[in-house]
Coordinates of all heavy atoms in Angstrom, one line a residue:
M1 N 65.5 10.8 -41.4 CA 64.4 11.6 -41.3 C 64.4 12.4 -39.9 O 64.7 11.7 -38.9 CB 63.1 10.8 -41.5 CG 62.0 11.6 -42.1 SD 60.5 10.7 -42.1 CE 60.9 9.2 -43.0
K2 N 64.1 13.6 -40.0 CA 64.0 14.4 -38.7 C 62.8 14.0 -37.9 O 61.8 13.7 -38.5 CB 64.0 15.9 -39.0 CG 65.3 16.5 -39.2 CD 65.3 17.9 -39.4 CE 66.5 18.6 -40.0 NZ 66.2 20.0 -40.4
N3 N 62.8 14.3 -36.6 CA 61.8 14.0 -35.8 C 60.4 14.8 -36.2 O 59.3 14.3 -36.2 CB 62.1 14.3 -34.3 CG 62.0 13.0 -33.5 OD1 62.0 11.9 -34.0 ND2 62.0 13.2 -32.3
D4 N 60.7 16.1 -36.6 CA 59.6 17.0 -37.0 C 58.9 16.3 -38.3 O 57.7 16.4 -38.3 CB 60.1 18.2 -37.4 CG 60.3 19.2 -36.1 OD1 60.0 18.7 -35.1 OD2 60.8 20.3 -36.3
E5 N 59.6 15.8 -39.2 CA 59.1 15.3 -40.4 C 58.3 14.0 -40.0 O 57.2 13.8 -40.6 CB 60.2 14.9 -41.3 CG 60.8 16.1 -42.0 CD 62.0 15.6 -42.9 OE1 61.8 14.7 -43.8 OE2 63.2 16.1 -42.8
I6 N 58.9 13.1 -39.1 CA 58.1 12.0 -38.7 C 56.8 12.4 -38.1 O 55.7 11.7 -38.3 CB 59.0 11.2 -37.7 CG1 60.2 10.6 -38.5 CG2 58.2 10.1 -37.0 CD1 61.3 10.1 -37.5
K7 N 56.8 13.4 -37.2 CA 55.6 13.8 -36.5 C 54.5 14.3 -37.6 O 53.3 14.1 -37.5 CB 55.8 15.0 -35.5 CG 56.5 14.3 -34.2 CD 56.8 15.5 -33.3 CE 57.6 14.9 -32.1 NZ 58.0 15.9 -31.2
K8 N 55.0 15.1 -38.6 CA 54.1 15.7 -39.6 C 53.6 14.5 -40.3 O 52.4 14.6 -40.6 CB 55.0 16.5 -40.5 CG 54.7 18.0 -40.3 CD 55.4 18.9 -41.3 CE 55.7 20.2 -40.8 NZ 56.7 21.0 -41.6
K9 N 54.4 13.5 -40.7 CA 53.9 12.4 -41.5 C 52.9 11.6 -40.8 O 51.8 11.2 -41.2 CB 55.1 11.6 -42.0 CG 55.8 12.1 -43.1 CD 56.6 11.1 -43.8 CE 57.3 11.7 -45.1 NZ 58.1 10.8 -45.8
F10 N 53.1 11.4 -39.5 CA 52.2 10.6 -38.7 C 50.9 11.4 -38.4 O 49.8 10.8 -38.3 CB 52.7 10.1 -37.3 CG 52.1 9.1 -36.7 CD1 52.0 7.8 -37.3 CD2 51.4 9.3 -35.6 CE1 51.2 6.8 -36.7 CE2 50.7 8.3 -35.0 CZ 50.5 7.1 -35.5
A11 N 51.0 12.6 -38.4 CA 49.8 13.6 -38.3 C 48.9 13.3 -39.4 O 47.6 13.4 -39.3 CB 50.2 15.0 -38.1
K12 N 49.5 13.3 -40.6 CA 48.7 12.9 -41.8 C 48.0 11.5 -41.8 O 46.8 11.2 -42.1 CB 49.6 12.9 -43.0 CG 49.5 14.3 -43.7 CD 50.2 14.2 -45.1 CE 50.4 15.7 -45.6 NZ 51.5 15.8 -46.5
V13 N 48.8 10.6 -41.3 CA 48.3 9.2 -41.1 C 47.0 9.1 -40.1 O 46.0 8.5 -40.4 CB 49.4 8.2 -40.5 CG1 48.8 6.8 -40.1 CG2 50.4 8.0 -41.5
I14 N 47.1 10.0 -39.0 CA 46.1 10.1 -38.1 C 44.8 10.8 -38.8 O 43.7 10.3 -38.6 CB 46.5 10.9 -36.8 CG1 47.6 10.0 -36.0 CG2 45.3 11.2 -36.0 CD1 48.2 10.7 -34.8
F15 N 45.1 11.8 -39.5 CA 44.1 12.6 -40.2 C 43.3 11.7 -41.2 O 42.0 11.6 -41.1 CB 44.7 13.8 -41.0 CG 43.6 14.6 -41.8 CD1 42.8 15.4 -41.0 CD2 43.5 14.4 -43.0 CE1 41.9 16.3 -41.6 CE2 42.5 15.1 -43.8 CZ 41.7 16.1 -43.0
N16 N 44.1 10.9 -42.0 CA 43.4 10.0 -42.9 C 42.5 8.9 -42.1 O 41.5 8.6 -42.6 CB 44.4 9.4 -43.9 CG 45.1 10.4 -44.8 OD1 44.5 11.4 -45.0 ND2 46.2 10.1 -45.3
A17 N 43.2 8.4 -41.0 CA 42.4 7.5 -40.3 C 41.1 8.0 -39.7 O 40.1 7.3 -39.8 CB 43.3 7.0 -39.2
K18 N 41.1 9.2 -39.4 CA 39.9 9.9 -38.9 C 38.9 10.1 -40.1 O 37.7 9.9 -39.8 CB 40.2 11.3 -38.3 CG 40.8 11.2 -37.0 CD 41.1 12.5 -36.3 CE 41.8 12.4 -35.0 NZ 42.3 13.6 -34.5
M19 N 39.4 10.4 -41.2 CA 38.4 10.6 -42.3 C 37.9 9.2 -42.8 O 36.7 9.3 -43.1 CB 39.4 11.1 -43.6 CG 39.8 12.6 -43.5 SD 38.3 13.6 -43.4 CE 38.5 14.3 -41.8
V20 N 38.7 8.2 -42.7 CA 38.2 6.8 -42.9 C 37.1 6.4 -42.0 O 36.0 5.9 -42.2 CB 39.3 5.8 -43.1 CG1 38.7 4.4 -43.3 CG2 40.2 6.2 -44.3
A21 N 37.4 6.8 -40.7 CA 36.5 6.4 -39.7 C 35.1 7.2 -39.9 O 34.0 6.7 -39.5 CB 37.1 6.8 -38.3
L22 N 35.3 8.4 -40.3 CA 34.1 9.2 -40.5 C 33.2 8.7 -41.6 O 32.0 8.7 -41.6 CB 34.6 10.7 -41.0 CG 33.5 11.8 -41.2 CD1 32.8 12.2 -39.8 CD2 34.0 13.0 -41.8
V23 N 33.9 8.2 -42.8 CA 33.1 7.6 -43.8 C 32.4 6.4 -43.3 O 31.2 6.2 -43.7 CB 34.2 7.2 -45.0 CG1 33.5 6.2 -46.0 CG2 34.7 8.5 -45.7
F24 N 33.1 5.6 -42.5 CA 32.5 4.4 -41.9 C 31.3 4.8 -41.0 O 30.2 4.2 -41.2 CB 33.6 3.6 -41.1 CG 33.0 2.5 -40.2 CD1 32.1 1.6 -40.8 CD2 33.4 2.4 -38.8 CE1 31.6 0.6 -40.0 CE2 32.9 1.3 -38.2 CZ 32.0 0.4 -38.7
F25 N 31.4 5.9 -40.3 CA 30.3 6.2 -39.5 C 29.1 6.8 -40.2 O 28.0 6.4 -39.9 CB 30.9 7.4 -38.5 CG 29.8 7.9 -37.5 CD1 29.4 7.0 -36.5 CD2 29.2 9.1 -37.6 CE1 28.5 7.5 -35.6 CE2 28.3 9.5 -36.8 CZ 27.8 8.7 -35.8
V26 N 29.4 7.5 -41.3 CA 28.4 8.1 -42.2 C 27.6 6.8 -42.9 O 26.4 6.9 -43.0 CB 28.9 9.0 -43.3 CG1 28.0 9.3 -44.4 CG2 29.5 10.3 -42.6
L27 N 28.4 5.9 -43.3 CA 27.9 4.6 -43.9 C 27.0 3.8 -42.9 O 26.1 3.0 -43.3 CB 28.8 3.8 -44.6 CG 29.5 4.5 -45.9 CD1 30.6 3.7 -46.4 CD2 28.4 4.6 -47.0
L28 N 27.4 3.9 -41.7 CA 26.9 3.0 -40.6 C 25.5 3.7 -40.0 O 24.5 2.9 -39.7 CB 27.9 2.9 -39.5 CG 27.3 2.0 -38.3 CD1 27.2 0.6 -38.6 CD2 28.4 2.0 -37.2
T29 N 25.4 5.0 -40.0 CA 24.3 5.7 -39.4 C 23.1 5.3 -40.0 O 22.1 5.1 -39.2 CB 24.6 7.2 -39.5 OG1 25.9 7.6 -38.9 CG2 23.5 8.0 -38.9
P30 N 22.8 5.4 -41.4 CA 21.5 4.9 -41.7 C 21.0 3.6 -41.2 O 19.8 3.4 -40.9 CB 21.7 4.8 -43.3 CG 22.8 5.8 -43.5 CD 23.8 5.5 -42.4
S31 N 21.9 2.6 -41.0 CA 21.5 1.2 -40.6 C 21.0 1.4 -39.1 O 20.0 0.8 -38.8 CB 22.7 0.3 -40.6 OG 23.1 0.0 -41.8
I32 N 21.6 2.2 -38.3 CA 21.3 2.4 -37.0 C 19.9 3.1 -36.9 O 19.0 2.6 -36.2 CB 22.4 3.2 -36.2 CG1 23.6 2.4 -36.0 CG2 21.8 3.6 -34.8 CD1 24.8 3.2 -35.6
V33 N 19.7 4.1 -37.7 CA 18.5 4.9 -37.8 C 17.3 3.9 -38.2 O 16.3 4.0 -37.6 CB 18.6 6.2 -38.7 CG1 17.2 6.9 -38.9 CG2 19.6 7.1 -38.3
L34 N 17.5 3.2 -39.1 CA 16.6 2.2 -39.7 C 16.1 1.3 -38.6 O 15.0 1.0 -38.4 CB 17.1 1.4 -40.9 CG 17.2 2.1 -42.2 CD1 18.1 1.4 -43.1 CD2 15.8 2.3 -42.8
K35 N 17.1 0.7 -37.9 CA 16.8 -0.2 -36.6 C 16.1 0.6 -35.6 O 15.0 0.1 -35.2 CB 18.1 -0.7 -36.1 CG 18.7 -1.8 -36.9 CD 18.3 -3.1 -36.2 CE 18.8 -4.4 -37.1 NZ 18.1 -4.6 -38.3
V36 N 16.6 1.7 -35.2 CA 15.9 2.5 -34.0 C 14.5 3.0 -34.4 O 13.6 2.8 -33.6 CB 16.8 3.6 -33.6 CG1 16.2 4.5 -32.6 CG2 18.1 3.2 -33.1
K37 N 14.4 3.5 -35.6 CA 13.1 4.0 -36.0 C 12.1 3.1 -36.5 O 11.0 3.4 -36.9 CB 13.2 5.3 -36.9 CG 14.0 6.3 -36.2 CD 13.6 7.7 -36.7 CE 14.3 8.8 -35.8 NZ 13.7 10.0 -36.1
G38 N 12.6 1.8 -36.8 CA 11.8 0.8 -37.4 C 11.4 1.2 -38.9 O 10.2 0.8 -39.3
M39 N 12.2 2.0 -39.6 CA 11.8 2.3 -41.0 C 12.3 1.2 -42.0 O 13.0 0.4 -41.6 CB 12.6 3.6 -41.3 CG 12.1 4.8 -40.5 SD 13.3 6.2 -40.5 CE 13.3 6.8 -42.1
N40 N 11.7 1.3 -43.2 CA 12.1 0.3 -44.2 C 13.2 0.8 -45.1 O 14.0 0.0 -45.7 CB 10.9 -0.1 -45.0 CG 9.8 -0.8 -44.2 OD1 10.3 -1.7 -43.4 ND2 8.6 -0.6 -44.3
E41 N 13.2 2.1 -45.3 CA 14.3 2.6 -46.1 C 14.6 4.1 -45.9 O 13.8 4.8 -45.3 CB 13.8 2.5 -47.6 CG 12.5 3.2 -48.0 CD 12.3 3.2 -49.5 OE1 12.2 2.1 -50.0 OE2 12.1 4.3 -50.1
I42 N 15.8 4.5 -46.3 CA 16.4 5.8 -46.1 C 16.9 6.2 -47.4 O 17.7 5.5 -48.1 CB 17.4 6.0 -45.0 CG1 16.7 5.9 -43.7 CG2 18.1 7.3 -45.1 CD1 17.7 6.1 -42.5
F43 N 16.6 7.4 -47.9 CA 17.0 8.0 -49.2 C 16.7 7.0 -50.3 O 17.4 6.8 -51.4 CB 18.5 8.2 -49.2 CG 18.9 9.3 -48.1 CD1 19.9 8.9 -47.4 CD2 18.2 10.4 -48.0 CE1 20.2 9.8 -46.2 CE2 18.6 11.3 -47.0 CZ 19.5 11.1 -46.2
G44 N 15.7 6.1 -50.1 CA 15.4 5.2 -51.2 C 16.0 3.9 -51.2 O 15.9 3.1 -52.1
F45 N 17.0 3.7 -50.3 CA 17.8 2.5 -50.1 C 17.3 1.7 -49.0 O 16.9 2.2 -47.9 CB 19.2 2.8 -50.1 CG 19.9 3.5 -51.2 CD1 20.5 4.7 -51.1 CD2 19.9 2.8 -52.5 CE1 21.0 5.4 -52.2 CE2 20.6 3.4 -53.5 CZ 21.1 4.8 -53.4
S46 N 17.2 0.5 -49.2 CA 16.7 -0.6 -48.2 C 17.6 -0.8 -47.1 O 18.8 -0.5 -47.2 CB 16.3 -1.9 -48.9 OG 17.4 -2.4 -49.3
E47 N 17.1 -1.4 -46.1 CA 18.0 -1.8 -45.0 C 19.2 -2.6 -45.4 O 20.3 -2.5 -44.9 CB 17.1 -2.6 -43.9 CG 17.8 -2.8 -42.6 CD 16.9 -3.4 -41.6 OE1 15.7 -3.5 -41.9 OE2 17.4 -3.9 -40.6
Q48 N 18.9 -3.5 -46.3 CA 19.9 -4.5 -46.7 C 21.1 -3.7 -47.4 O 22.3 -4.0 -47.1 CB 19.3 -5.6 -47.7 CG 20.4 -6.6 -48.2 CD 20.9 -7.4 -46.9 OE1 20.1 -7.8 -46.1 NE2 22.2 -7.7 -46.9
I49 N 20.7 -2.7 -48.2 CA 21.7 -1.9 -48.9 C 22.6 -1.2 -48.0 O 23.8 -1.1 -48.0 CB 21.0 -1.0 -50.0 CG1 20.6 -1.9 -51.2 CG2 22.2 0.0 -50.5 CD1 19.7 -1.2 -52.2
W50 N 21.9 -0.4 -47.0 CA 22.7 0.2 -46.0 C 23.6 -0.6 -45.2 O 24.7 -0.2 -44.8 CB 21.7 1.1 -45.2 CG 21.2 2.2 -45.8 CD1 19.9 2.6 -46.2 CD2 22.0 3.4 -46.3 NE1 19.8 3.7 -46.9 CE2 21.0 4.4 -47.0 CE3 23.3 3.7 -46.3 CZ2 21.5 5.5 -47.6 CZ3 23.7 4.9 -47.0 CH2 22.8 5.8 -47.5
F51 N 23.1 -1.8 -44.8 CA 23.8 -2.8 -44.1 C 25.1 -3.1 -44.8 O 26.2 -3.1 -44.3 CB 23.0 -4.1 -43.8 CG 23.8 -5.1 -43.0 CD1 24.0 -4.9 -41.6 CD2 24.3 -6.2 -43.6 CE1 24.7 -5.8 -40.8 CE2 25.0 -7.2 -42.9 CZ 25.2 -6.9 -41.5
N52 N 24.9 -3.3 -46.1 CA 26.1 -3.7 -47.0 C 27.2 -2.4 -47.1 O 28.3 -2.6 -47.1 CB 25.7 -4.1 -48.5 CG 25.0 -5.4 -48.4 OD1 25.1 -6.2 -47.6 ND2 24.2 -5.6 -49.5
A53 N 26.5 -1.2 -47.1 CA 27.4 -0.1 -47.1 C 28.1 0.1 -45.8 O 29.3 0.5 -45.9 CB 26.4 1.1 -47.2
A54 N 27.6 -0.3 -44.7 CA 28.3 -0.3 -43.4 C 29.4 -1.3 -43.4 O 30.4 -1.0 -42.9 CB 27.3 -0.6 -42.2
I55 N 29.1 -2.4 -44.0 CA 30.2 -3.5 -44.1 C 31.3 -2.9 -44.9 O 32.5 -3.1 -44.5 CB 29.5 -4.8 -44.6 CG1 28.5 -5.4 -43.8 CG2 30.7 -5.8 -44.9 CD1 29.0 -6.0 -42.5
A56 N 31.0 -2.4 -46.0 CA 31.9 -1.9 -47.0 C 32.8 -0.7 -46.2 O 34.1 -0.8 -46.3 CB 31.3 -1.2 -48.2
G57 N 32.2 0.1 -45.4 CA 32.9 1.2 -44.7 C 33.9 0.5 -43.7 O 34.9 1.0 -43.4
F58 N 33.4 -0.5 -43.0 CA 34.2 -1.2 -42.0 C 35.4 -1.8 -42.7 O 36.5 -1.8 -42.2 CB 33.3 -2.3 -41.4 CG 34.0 -3.0 -40.2 CD1 34.4 -2.3 -39.1 CD2 34.3 -4.4 -40.3 CE1 35.0 -2.9 -38.0 CE2 35.1 -5.0 -39.3 CZ 35.4 -4.3 -38.2
I59 N 35.2 -2.4 -43.9 CA 36.3 -3.1 -44.6 C 37.3 -2.1 -45.0 O 38.6 -2.2 -45.0 CB 35.8 -3.8 -45.8 CG1 35.0 -5.1 -45.4 CG2 36.9 -4.3 -46.8 CD1 34.3 -5.7 -46.5
I60 N 36.8 -0.8 -45.4 CA 37.7 0.2 -45.9 C 38.6 0.7 -44.6 O 39.9 0.9 -44.6 CB 36.9 1.5 -46.3 CG1 36.3 1.1 -47.8 CG2 37.9 2.7 -46.6 CD1 35.2 2.1 -48.2
Y61 N 38.0 0.8 -43.5 CA 38.5 1.2 -42.3 C 39.7 0.2 -41.8 O 40.7 0.5 -41.5 CB 37.6 1.3 -41.1 CG 38.2 1.9 -39.9 CD1 38.6 3.2 -39.8 CD2 38.4 1.1 -38.8 CE1 39.2 3.6 -38.7 CE2 39.0 1.4 -37.6 CZ 39.3 2.9 -37.5 OH 40.0 3.3 -36.4
I62 N 39.3 -1.1 -41.9 CA 40.2 -2.2 -41.5 C 41.4 -2.2 -42.6 O 42.6 -2.3 -42.2 CB 39.5 -3.6 -41.5 CG1 38.4 -3.7 -40.4 CG2 40.6 -4.7 -41.5 CD1 39.1 -3.6 -39.1
G63 N 41.1 -2.0 -43.8 CA 42.1 -1.9 -44.9 C 43.0 -0.8 -44.7 O 44.2 -1.0 -44.8
Y64 N 42.5 0.4 -44.3 CA 43.4 1.4 -43.9 C 44.3 1.1 -42.9 O 45.5 1.4 -42.9 CB 42.6 2.7 -43.8 CG 43.5 4.0 -43.5 CD1 43.9 4.6 -44.6 CD2 43.9 4.2 -42.1 CE1 44.9 5.7 -44.2 CE2 44.7 5.2 -41.9 CZ 45.3 6.1 -43.0 OH 46.1 7.0 -42.8
T65 N 43.7 0.5 -41.8 CA 44.6 0.2 -40.7 C 45.8 -0.8 -41.0 O 46.8 -0.6 -40.6 CB 43.6 -0.4 -39.5 OG1 42.6 0.5 -39.3 CG2 44.4 -0.7 -38.3
I66 N 45.4 -1.7 -41.8 CA 46.3 -2.8 -42.2 C 47.4 -2.2 -43.1 O 48.7 -2.4 -42.8 CB 45.7 -3.9 -42.9 CG1 44.8 -4.8 -41.8 CG2 46.8 -4.9 -43.4 CD1 43.9 -5.7 -42.4
F67 N 47.0 -1.4 -44.1 CA 48.0 -0.9 -45.1 C 48.7 0.4 -44.9 O 49.7 0.8 -45.4 CB 47.3 -1.0 -46.5 CG 47.1 -2.4 -46.9 CD1 45.7 -2.8 -47.0 CD2 48.0 -3.2 -47.4 CE1 45.4 -4.1 -47.3 CE2 47.6 -4.6 -47.7 CZ 46.3 -4.9 -47.7
F68 N 48.0 1.2 -44.1 CA 48.5 2.7 -44.0 C 48.7 3.1 -42.6 O 49.4 4.2 -42.3 CB 47.5 3.7 -44.7 CG 47.4 3.4 -46.1 CD1 46.2 2.8 -46.6 CD2 48.4 3.8 -47.0 CE1 46.0 2.5 -48.0 CE2 48.2 3.5 -48.3 CZ 47.1 2.9 -48.9
W69 N 48.3 2.4 -41.6 CA 48.6 2.8 -40.2 C 50.0 2.3 -39.8 O 50.0 1.1 -39.3 CB 47.4 2.2 -39.3 CG 47.6 2.6 -37.9 CD1 48.1 1.9 -36.8 CD2 47.2 3.9 -37.3 NE1 48.0 2.6 -35.6 CE2 47.4 3.8 -36.0 CE3 46.6 5.0 -38.0 CZ2 47.2 5.0 -35.2 CZ3 46.4 6.1 -37.2 CH2 46.7 6.1 -35.7
K70 N 51.0 3.0 -40.3 CA 52.3 2.6 -40.1 C 53.2 3.7 -39.5 O 52.9 4.9 -39.7 CB 52.9 2.2 -41.3 CG 52.4 0.9 -41.8 CD 52.9 0.4 -43.2 CE 52.5 -0.9 -43.6 NZ 52.7 -1.1 -45.0
C71 N 54.2 3.5 -38.8 CA 55.2 4.4 -38.3 C 55.9 4.9 -39.5 O 56.4 4.1 -40.2 CB 56.1 3.7 -37.2 SG 57.5 4.6 -36.8
P72 N 56.1 6.2 -39.6 CA 56.8 6.8 -40.8 C 58.3 6.5 -40.7 O 59.0 6.4 -41.7 CB 56.6 8.4 -40.5 CG 55.4 8.4 -39.6 CD 55.5 7.3 -38.8
K73 N 58.8 6.2 -39.6 CA 60.2 5.8 -39.4 C 60.6 4.3 -39.8 O 61.3 4.1 -40.6 CB 60.7 6.1 -38.0 CG 62.3 6.1 -38.0 CD 62.8 6.4 -36.6 CE 64.3 6.4 -36.5 NZ 64.9 6.2 -35.3
C74 N 59.9 3.4 -39.0 CA 60.3 1.9 -39.2 C 59.3 1.2 -40.1 O 59.6 0.1 -40.5 CB 60.3 1.3 -37.8 SG 58.7 1.2 -37.0
G75 N 58.1 1.9 -40.4 CA 57.2 1.2 -41.3 C 56.4 0.1 -40.7 O 55.7 -0.6 -41.4
K76 N 56.6 -0.1 -39.4 CA 55.8 -1.1 -38.7 C 54.6 -0.5 -38.0 O 54.5 0.7 -37.9 CB 56.7 -1.8 -37.7 CG 57.7 -2.8 -38.4 CD 58.6 -3.4 -37.3 CE 59.8 -4.1 -38.1 NZ 60.9 -4.4 -37.1
F77 N 53.7 -1.5 -37.5 CA 52.5 -1.1 -36.7 C 53.1 -0.3 -35.4 O 53.7 -0.9 -34.6 CB 51.8 -2.3 -36.4 CG 50.4 -2.1 -35.7 CD1 49.4 -1.5 -36.5 CD2 50.2 -2.3 -34.4 CE1 48.2 -1.3 -36.0 CE2 48.9 -2.1 -33.8 CZ 47.9 -1.6 -34.6
P78 N 52.7 0.9 -35.2 CA 53.1 1.7 -34.1 C 52.3 1.5 -32.9 O 52.6 2.0 -31.8 CB 52.9 3.2 -34.6 CG 51.9 3.2 -35.6 CD 51.8 1.8 -36.2
G79 N 51.2 0.7 -32.9 CA 50.3 0.5 -31.7 C 49.0 1.3 -32.1 O 48.9 2.1 -33.0
R80 N 48.0 1.0 -31.3 CA 46.7 1.5 -31.6 C 46.4 3.0 -31.1 O 47.2 3.3 -30.2 CB 45.6 0.6 -31.0 CG 45.5 -0.7 -31.7 CD 44.3 -1.4 -31.4 NE 44.2 -2.6 -32.2 CZ 43.7 -2.5 -33.4 NH1 43.3 -1.4 -33.9 NH2 43.6 -3.6 -34.1
G81 N 45.5 3.7 -31.6 CA 45.0 4.9 -31.0 C 45.4 6.1 -31.7 O 46.6 6.1 -32.3
W82 N 44.5 7.1 -31.8 CA 44.7 8.4 -32.5 C 45.5 9.3 -31.6 O 46.0 10.3 -32.1 CB 43.4 9.1 -32.8 CG 42.6 8.2 -33.8 CD1 43.0 7.3 -34.6 CD2 41.2 8.5 -34.1 NE1 42.0 6.9 -35.4 CE2 40.9 7.6 -35.1 CE3 40.2 9.3 -33.7 CZ2 39.6 7.6 -35.7 CZ3 39.0 9.3 -34.2 CH2 38.6 8.4 -35.3
F83 N 45.8 9.0 -30.3 CA 46.6 9.9 -29.6 C 47.9 9.3 -29.1 O 48.4 9.4 -28.0 CB 45.8 10.3 -28.4 CG 44.5 10.9 -28.6 CD1 43.3 10.2 -28.6 CD2 44.4 12.3 -29.1 CE1 42.0 10.8 -29.0 CE2 43.1 12.9 -29.5 CZ 42.0 12.0 -29.4
R84 N 48.5 8.5 -30.0 CA 49.7 7.8 -29.8 C 50.8 8.8 -29.8 O 51.1 9.7 -30.5 CB 49.9 6.9 -31.1 CG 51.0 6.0 -31.0 CD 50.6 4.7 -31.5 NE 49.9 4.0 -30.5 CZ 50.4 3.4 -29.5 NH1 51.6 3.5 -29.2 NH2 49.7 2.7 -28.6
K85 N 51.7 8.5 -28.7 CA 52.8 9.5 -28.5 C 54.0 8.8 -29.0 O 54.9 9.6 -29.5 CB 53.0 9.7 -26.9 CG 51.9 10.6 -26.4 CD 52.3 12.0 -26.3 CE 51.2 13.0 -26.0 NZ 50.6 13.7 -27.0
K86 N 54.1 7.5 -28.9 CA 55.4 6.9 -29.3 C 55.0 5.6 -30.2 O 54.0 5.0 -29.9 CB 56.2 6.4 -28.2 CG 57.1 7.5 -27.6 CD 57.9 6.9 -26.5 CE 58.9 8.1 -25.9 NZ 59.6 7.5 -24.8
C87 N 56.1 5.3 -31.1 CA 55.9 4.0 -31.8 C 56.2 2.8 -31.0 O 57.2 2.8 -30.2 CB 56.9 4.1 -33.0 SG 56.9 2.5 -33.9
D88 N 55.4 1.9 -30.9 CA 55.6 0.6 -30.1 C 56.7 -0.2 -30.6 O 57.4 -1.1 -29.9 CB 54.3 -0.2 -30.0 CG 53.4 0.2 -28.9 OD1 53.8 1.1 -28.2 OD2 52.3 -0.3 -28.8
S89 N 57.0 -0.1 -31.9 CA 58.1 -0.9 -32.6 C 59.5 -0.4 -32.4 O 60.3 -1.0 -32.0 CB 57.7 -1.1 -34.1 OG 56.5 -1.8 -34.2
C90 N 59.6 1.0 -32.7 CA 61.0 1.5 -32.7 C 61.2 2.6 -31.6 O 62.3 3.2 -31.4 CB 61.3 2.1 -34.0 SG 60.5 3.4 -34.6
G91 N 60.1 2.9 -30.9 CA 60.2 3.9 -29.9 C 60.3 5.4 -30.3 O 60.5 6.3 -29.4
V92 N 60.1 5.7 -31.5 CA 60.3 7.1 -31.9 C 59.1 7.8 -31.5 O 58.0 7.4 -31.4 CB 60.4 7.3 -33.5 CG1 59.2 7.0 -34.3 CG2 61.0 8.6 -34.0
E93 N 59.4 9.2 -31.3 CA 58.2 10.0 -30.9 C 57.3 10.4 -32.1 O 57.8 10.8 -33.2 CB 58.8 11.3 -30.3 CG 58.9 11.4 -28.9 CD 59.2 12.9 -28.4 OE1 58.4 13.7 -28.6 OE2 60.3 12.9 -27.7
L94 N 56.0 10.2 -32.0 CA 55.2 10.3 -33.1 C 54.2 11.7 -33.0 O 53.7 12.1 -33.9 CB 54.2 9.2 -33.2 CG 54.9 7.9 -33.6 CD1 53.9 6.7 -33.4 CD2 55.4 7.8 -35.1
S95 N 54.1 12.1 -31.8 CA 53.3 13.4 -31.6 C 53.8 14.2 -30.5 O 54.4 13.7 -29.6 CB 52.0 13.2 -31.6 OG 51.6 12.3 -30.5
Ligands
ZN1 ZN1 58.5 2.9 -35.5

């Protein structure tokens, strides 16, 4: 695989990770608003339901990190961070 292809593939991995993080954030926000404003429900859903939604979002995020946050070249964990320059496992340039 060429370096350009590796960078392109890893750019997609980062993009998807950001989308998953966004979903987590969207699911988490109502719980924070409920707490801060002392409300009982948002959009007709109770605090408990939003709390569960936040947990679900967190699990999705962790799941993505475990199963899809991989180096396109070696398939191993490249290290943390959305601004990763190199793979920690094989040393290939990622961005
Ligand atoms: Zn690697």
